Amino acid sequence: MTGHATALSRLAPEQRLRRLELAVTRRLDGLLHGQHLGLLPGPGSEPAGSREYRPGEDEVRRMDWSVTARTTVPHVRTVDADRELTTTVLVDATPSMDFGTAELEKRELAVAAVAAVGVLTAGLGNRLGAHLLGHQGLRRFPARTGRPHLLGLLRALLAVPRGIPATQAVPLAEAVDGLRRATPRRGLAVVVSDFLDALPDEGVSGADGPPPAWEQPLRRLAARHQVLAVEVTDPRELELPDVGLITLVDPESGRRREVSTGSRKLRERYAAAAAAQRLAVTLAVRRSGATHLRLSTDRDWITDIVRHVHAQRRLAGAARPHRREVSG
């Protein structure tokens, strides 16, 4: 996987798209295919009875044999998740995402996360839309079905120019609130970001400091939708290596500052501030009621997503109440 990720970041956008699609479908295809609750647990996993079998659409392993025997007509078990699902993804493509010191840039990892969400929520009638937060503000992609739509969306994400100062800066909090207003119907909302927007200042404890500006909008979003917060990180954001004098640049504001990484005290302060910042993100996501998935540019992101899916399946199974069989 490491070699693949390194090669991916060096390819042209169209080649990267094909490699990304191949990597995702090979390892995720067949894993909860068409079941959005593979990403999040919720009431939609409850059994909802039975309906007649549809040749070519239904899997034989979902046959409800007891109802079939009583009615002499083939029936399959249904769950509430069979209803049409609309998934909307908010993708952070602001300058802070144009950073990566491991196998991928954070921007590449965000696109990979969207590809995985697209595969895991694919199904008959399910739709995928997106809000892209970039240097020109918000760009919206209507929710549609099908593989061509997903590939077109990924192509647009990969084509976003890098290193361009924001001309119409939109805070993450405003983007999350815009996502809520644009999706009145209950569905699945996925926010993919490094969540470095408006966090507590350096030196403020993540547990005791003020909440990030996006927490309240995320909480309002989670009151209506199932929400998955995908936090994208890079190892150099968590600790500063001893490499002598370096120039640090804030990608959002363009401000520069020279620092001497040879100072152990400075490296310790940096690590403590970074840990407090990440703790603030974790606590804010938890308080909002969203589900949290952390991906890093130096890890096998597909494995981390698969582990998350398995964990959510276990949660959904443990929370599922026992209900008496409902005949069709």
Side-chain angles (χ1 to χ4, degrees):
M1 184 63 196
T2 298
H4 168 80
T6 303
L8 177 65
S9 61
R10 296 173 181 171
L11 295 173
E14 205 60 33
Q15 292 175 305
R16 284 150 59 198
L17 179 61
R18 288 196 293 270
R19 291 284 186 92
L20 178 60
E21 183 192 13
L22 185 62
V24 171
T25 53
R26 272 186 173 177
R27 298 181 64 185
L28 290 183
D29 195 23
L31 175 64
L32 299 175
H33 185 69
Q35 298 182 24
H36 67 283
L37 291 170
L39 286 171
L40 295 174
S45 63
E46 297 179 5
S50 301
R51 61 169 170 76
E52 288 191 11
Y53 172 77
R54 298 169 185 164
E57 295 182 10
D58 296 324
E59 298 178 358
V60 176
R61 61 187 177 91
R62 292 177 56 195
M63 292 292 293
D64 191 328
W65 297 111
S66 59
V67 176
T68 298
R70 287 200 307 270
T71 63
T72 70
V73 176
H75 278 67
V76 292
R77 295 184 303 274
T78 62
V79 292
D80 289 343
D82 281 345
R83 297 174 302 188
E84 178 185 300
L85 169 73
T86 297
T87 300
T88 309
V89 184
L90 170 60
V91 189
D92 186 351
T94 56
S96 69
M97 298 291 284
D98 297 334
F99 180 74
T101 62
E103 304 301 334
L104 295 171
E105 285 186 350
K106 292 192 294 182
R107 175 84 63 85
E108 297 274 358
L109 187 52
V111 176
V114 174
V117 168
V119 170
L120 288 170
T121 58
L124 188 64
N126 289 350
R127 302 187 302 161
L128 176 68
H131 289 198
L132 175 61
L133 178 60
H135 68 283
Q136 292 183 319
L138 271 175
R139 180 183 176 189
R140 294 177 174 85
F141 297 84
R144 293 174 180 154
T145 62
R147 176 176 171 273
H149 171 63
L150 173 60
L151 294 180
L153 176 58
L154 297 176
R155 189 176 291 109
L157 296 177
L158 287 170
V160 173
R162 289 164 166 74
I164 298 180
T167 56
Q168 296 179 353
V170 175
L172 181 61
E174 184 177 329
V176 173
D177 214 35
L179 177 63
R180 177 185 60 85
R181 292 193 301 268
T183 52
R185 182 181 177 184
R186 178 175 171 81
L188 173 61
V190 182
V191 181
V192 185
S193 175
D194 54 14
F195 292 95
L196 295 180
D197 183 274
L199 282 170
D201 295 331
E202 179 180 349
V204 178
S205 167
D208 302 326
W214 46 260
E215 180 184 331
Q216 192 59 36
L218 193 67
R219 181 178 299 183
R220 289 194 292 265
L221 183 67
R224 178 181 299 169
H225 304 281
Q226 289 183 298
V227 178
L228 173 62
V230 181
E231 180 188 2
V232 180
T233 66
D234 184 90
R236 287 285 78 83
E237 294 173 330
L238 304 178
E239 59 181 18
L240 201 60
D242 183 0
V243 292
L245 186 67
I246 63 173
T247 300
L248 300 179
V249 181
D250 184 339
E252 302 286 348
S253 66
R255 290 181 298 178
R256 295 172 175 266
R257 181 178 180 182
E258 287 192 348
V259 299
S260 175
T261 60
S263 169
R264 187 177 68 176
K265 181 176 292 187
L266 173 67
R267 295 197 306 272
E268 290 174 349
R269 287 178 55 202
Y270 180 94
Q277 191 178 58
R278 289 304 170 188
L279 177 60
V281 171
T282 299
L283 294 176
V285 171
R286 184 182 304 165
R287 289 191 298 261
S288 73
T291 301
H292 193 186
L293 169 60
R294 183 179 289 111
L295 301 178
S296 179
T297 60
D298 65 340
R299 290 179 54 86
D300 183 341
W301 53 272
I302 289 185
T303 296
D304 287 340
I305 291 174
V306 169
R307 287 173 178 163
H308 176 83
V309 168
H310 283 305
Q312 300 311 311
R313 288 191 70 180
R314 287 195 297 270
L315 286 173
R320 182 179 300 152
H322 294 290
R323 302 173 70 179
R324 289 193 297 179
E325 182 183 275
V326 180
S327 61

